[in-house]
Amino acid sequence: MSAASCLLTEDQFLCSICLDVFTDPVTIPCGHNFCKTCITEHWDINVPYQCPNCKKLFYTRPELQVNTFISEMAAQFRQSAQQKASSSSSEQQAAKPGEVPCDVCTGTKLKALKSCLVCLDSYCETHLEPHLTRSGLKRHQLIDPVENLEGRMCMKHDKLLELFCKTDQMCVCMLCSISDHKNHDVVPLKEEYEGKKAELGKTEAEIQQMIQKRRLKIQEIKHSVELSEEDADREVADGVQVFTALKESVERRMNELLNTIKEKQRKTEKQAEGFIKELEQEISELKKRSTEVDRLSHSEDHLHLLQSFRTLNTAPPTKNWTGVRVSPPSYEGTVVRAVNQLEETLSKQMKKLFEAELKRVQKSAVDVTLDPDSANPWLILSNDGKQVHDHDVKKNLPKRPERFDTCVYVLAKQSFSSGRFYYEVQVKGKTEWTLGVARESIKRKGIITSSPQNGYWTIWLRNENEYKARDDPPVLLSLKSQPEKVGVFVDYEEGLVSFYDVDAAALIYSFTGCCFTEKLYPFFSPCPNYGGKNSAPLIISPVNHTE
């Protein structure tokens, strides 16, 4: 085995946590080795359980058993290293800059191996020997070599600082403890050292936890950036596709419009050319007749004139042009029809966009239930917290600061202070309703105006077909169809609240540029019953992701 160990390097026997030779080495499931104490303390601090080398996650904490083979190899390596260190220590080295020199050496100062807290001197290997062999010196306290040993002495009593006054938080000597620090809480220096070392260990553990949390936050931020890049790429692709199709449609419609106008003009010109050609032919014939008439009128041949008069006096075969007109073509409606066709194309593209957008926001769906503690006493909530309607009968409920006492409002139990969330509400069969989100600090008593200024971002239906966004000022909405299911989407960081007609896959309205600083709650108002006219409930519906 010793021959085999000679072939291995020092790095193969070092724990990657403590960077020292293995002590009770254990092998974890991914195959990496650590000191048992090191990996145990690491997992006590860091959760989830993860290999420090390859970062492999373990969902349950692995059981640790000492790897006897590696343990024996490490022991042999340690023994070999100690032997090498012993053999090399005989070769005395001069103290280098930054190293503690021997206080006894004359001439070249050798490197000190130990410092004596009694003698207040540091010794090289040669001058240290008396402290290792003489009985009187063996009782002296030796430590690793340090400079400024005088700083370890009490300046007042010239005694070793071997005690710690917890009252004054300072190191003291034995005489100090019975004079200036009498009746103080004084403990041995080692005891305070152990306590402070334990505190440092706890502080180190807390620091490691803070480091781990920040590493996780870095991963979270990087993941957010990756998602943002994916969203940006998708939006660019969708935008390019839509605008390319729109551009092609515009060019196509423009060419069709120009061709239509040109074709009408061509037909008009062709008709006019035909008329002009026919008229020119008649003019040519008439000119011939005019020439013959003029010649005959100057003839003195009585017989010839009388014989030719009948044929020349008869009107030539010409067309009656009185009612003939070349009317300019009518272009009324040509451009309008082309624009209407373009608008139809744009509407189709917009519908595709809204369908894709709805698919994306539905991925942020959350489970929402109504909060009975916030519900107005006139409201009836279903046992599962998914439905609410006005009952025309006021219940006797305990007064709570979170309960709406006048307006028939209710909030969800769930609140959100970051990220995105989405939910859907069935409004089918209702003549009035209000939906949206509200911040935690909203007014809940008395008459309430639901506007963004007051902490409400909502849309409503009134009088069966009057839709409004309760913005500042309110916005009258023109919808192509009455929605039966409304989707509500919120992006907290973006400051966005959007409402969708789920069945039509159409955007109803968006509040943009909002500044959220509090928790947001889904908000519902089924509005008064009106004697059964508006008795249908608002129903929080499960989100069926659009395919």
Side-chain angles (χ1 to χ4, degrees):
M1 182 178 291
S2 60
S5 64
C6 293
L7 300 176
L8 301 175
T9 64
E10 180 181 357
D11 291 341
Q12 293 172 292
F13 292 97
L14 296 184
C15 171
S16 60
I17 297 177
C18 66
L19 302 179
D20 202 351
V21 179
F22 287 124
T23 301
D24 294 332
V26 294
T27 303
I28 62 176
C30 61
H32 290 104
N33 303 303
F34 306 91
C35 298
K36 185 175 183 180
T37 301
C38 292
I39 192 64
T40 299
E41 291 178 352
H42 179 78
W43 283 342
D44 287 342
I45 296 171
N46 298 283
V47 177
Y49 309 117
Q50 189 178 39
C51 174
N53 286 355
C54 68
K55 308 303 181 185
K56 180 176 178 60
L57 287 172
F58 307 108
Y59 296 101
T60 58
R61 185 164 180 159
E63 293 185 6
L64 302 177
Q65 299 292 335
V66 174
N67 188 320
T68 56
F69 176 77
I70 297 178
S71 179
E72 292 173 0
M73 296 282 286
Q76 286 199 10
F77 179 83
R78 187 182 292 107
Q79 182 180 0
S80 175
Q82 289 173 349
Q83 290 174 352
K84 289 180 181 179
S86 299
S87 62
S88 62
S89 64
S90 60
E91 300 176 4
Q92 295 289 317
Q93 295 180 353
K96 298 177 182 178
E99 294 179 339
V100 179
C102 176
D103 292 320
V104 182
C105 288
T106 58
T108 302
K109 295 283 188 178
L110 299 181
K111 177 182 176 182
L113 296 183
K114 293 289 181 181
S115 295
C116 177
L117 294 178
V118 178
C119 303
L120 299 181
D121 282 325
S122 298
Y123 304 102
C124 64
E125 182 180 9
T126 302
H127 296 115
L128 179 64
E129 185 177 358
H131 279 77
L132 301 177
T133 57
R134 296 179 186 177
S135 58
L137 296 178
K138 282 184 177 180
R139 293 193 294 269
H140 289 191
Q141 185 176 354
L142 298 175
I143 61 173
D144 290 334
V146 293
E147 293 182 320
N148 190 26
L149 286 170
E150 291 79 6
R152 296 175 175 266
M153 302 298 292
C154 175
M155 297 181 65
K156 184 175 182 180
H157 300 110
D158 199 27
K159 295 292 184 181
L160 184 65
L161 296 173
E162 53 185 343
L163 300 174
F164 185 81
C165 177
K166 302 182 83 170
T167 305
D168 294 332
Q169 291 292 300
M170 60 184 297
C171 298
V172 297
C173 70
M174 189 64 71
L175 294 178
C176 289
S177 66
I178 59 177
S179 58
D180 297 343
H181 297 268
K182 186 177 181 180
N183 298 325
H184 287 189
D185 186 5
V186 178
V187 298
L189 206 61
K190 184 177 181 180
E191 180 180 330
E192 184 65 17
Y193 162 82
E194 295 293 342
K196 287 293 189 288
K197 189 174 182 180
E199 288 184 20
L200 289 175
K202 183 178 179 181
T203 301
E204 174 63 14
E206 292 174 352
I207 292 173
Q208 290 300 324
Q209 285 183 334
M210 293 173 66
I211 291 172
Q212 183 66 15
K213 287 181 180 179
R214 280 151 182 76
R215 285 174 176 167
L216 292 174
K217 180 57 69 174
I218 289 174
Q219 293 178 0
E220 177 186 328
I221 292 172
K222 288 182 177 179
H223 183 61
S224 297
V225 172
E226 290 174 358
L227 293 178
S228 177
E229 289 177 351
E230 292 175 2
D231 290 344
D233 291 342
R234 182 175 58 248
E235 288 299 316
V236 168
D238 291 345
V240 169
Q241 180 181 359
V242 169
F243 279 96
T244 299
L246 186 59
K247 178 183 176 183
E248 292 174 351
S249 181
V250 169
E251 292 177 348
R252 185 168 60 254
R253 299 302 177 194
M254 183 181 68
N255 291 333
E256 290 175 357
L257 173 65
L258 296 177
N259 290 336
T260 299
I261 294 172
K262 288 179 180 178
E263 180 62 21
K264 286 186 177 183
Q265 178 63 18
R266 189 188 63 78
K267 288 182 179 179
T268 301
E269 291 175 353
K270 186 176 181 180
Q271 183 186 38
E273 288 173 358
F275 288 157
I276 291 171
K277 184 177 181 180
E278 193 174 347
L279 285 167
E280 288 176 345
Q281 287 178 349
E282 289 188 0
I283 289 171
S284 177
E285 291 296 327
L286 289 172
K287 282 183 176 180
K288 290 179 181 179
R289 178 64 62 90
S290 175
T291 301
E292 292 177 0
V293 169
D294 181 68
R295 187 173 61 252
L296 186 62
S297 65
H298 290 86
S299 174
E300 296 180 357
D301 186 342
H302 301 160
L303 178 63
H304 176 68
L305 185 150
L306 292 175
Q307 289 177 337
S308 303
F309 181 81
R310 181 183 296 177
T311 56
L312 291 175
N313 193 43
T314 304
T318 56
K319 185 176 180 178
N320 184 3
W321 293 94
T322 305
V324 176
R325 297 284 188 276
V326 176
S327 300
S330 175
Y331 297 109
E332 283 73 12
T334 304
V335 176
V336 173
R337 284 191 296 273
V339 172
N340 285 339
Q341 291 174 341
L342 185 61
E343 186 178 9
E344 290 178 6
T345 302
L346 180 59
S347 296
K348 292 178 181 179
Q349 292 295 331
M350 290 295 292
K351 184 172 178 59
K352 289 181 180 179
L353 278 180
F354 285 135
E355 288 174 349
E357 182 176 322
L358 185 58
K359 289 179 184 178
R360 290 197 294 272
V361 300
Q362 284 178 331
K363 294 179 180 178
S364 301
V366 294
D367 185 28
V368 173
T369 52
L370 301 169
D371 180 15
D373 291 340
S374 68
N376 179 279
W378 293 88
L379 296 178
I380 300 296
L381 276 60
S382 62
N383 292 333
D384 62 0
K386 297 294 185 180
Q387 300 186 28
V388 58
H389 68 280
D390 179 78
H391 192 51
D392 284 340
V393 177
K394 185 176 182 180
K395 294 179 291 184
N396 185 18
L397 297 175
K399 294 183 179 180
R400 297 178 180 272
E402 64 267 32
R403 189 182 304 284
F404 295 97
D405 65 348
T406 302
C407 297
V408 285
Y409 295 168
V410 61
L411 299 178
K413 291 181 180 179
Q414 294 75 18
S415 65
F416 305 88
S417 56
S418 64
R420 304 171 180 176
F421 63 94
Y422 173 85
Y423 61 95
E424 294 179 352
V425 183
Q426 180 179 307
V427 297
K428 182 179 180 181
K430 295 193 65 61
T431 58
E432 293 192 2
W433 50 262
T434 304
L435 291 174
V437 292
R439 67 184 178 214
E440 187 175 30
S441 63
I442 52 172
K443 176 184 176 183
R444 307 193 187 202
K445 309 299 180 184
I447 301 301
I448 301 170
T449 301
S450 57
S451 67
Q453 185 177 358
N454 295 329
Y456 294 83
W457 292 266
T458 62
I459 62 171
W460 74 4
L461 166 65
R462 295 292 184 272
N463 304 322
E464 298 189 28
N465 58 7
E466 180 185 317
Y467 294 90
K468 279 187 178 181
R470 299 292 291 164
D471 211 332
D472 293 323
V475 179
L476 183 64
L477 304 176
S478 178
L479 305 184
K480 293 183 178 180
S481 60
Q482 289 191 333
E484 295 186 350
K485 186 182 291 185
V486 175
V488 183
F489 172 72
V490 176
D491 188 325
Y492 194 97
E493 285 74 20
E494 189 70 20
L496 174 69
V497 182
S498 295
F499 299 84
Y500 296 88
D501 182 339
V502 177
D503 297 322
L507 178 67
I508 298 175
Y509 188 78
S510 287
F511 293 88
T512 58
C514 309
C515 182
F516 301 131
T517 57
E518 302 178 24
K519 292 179 180 178
L520 294 180
Y521 289 82
F523 169 87
F524 309 83
S525 175
C527 296
N529 189 314
Y530 298 122
K533 185 179 179 181
N534 188 36
S535 61
L538 289 176
I539 304 174
I540 301 172
S541 307
V543 176
N544 296 320
H545 297 281
T546 309
E547 296 299 334

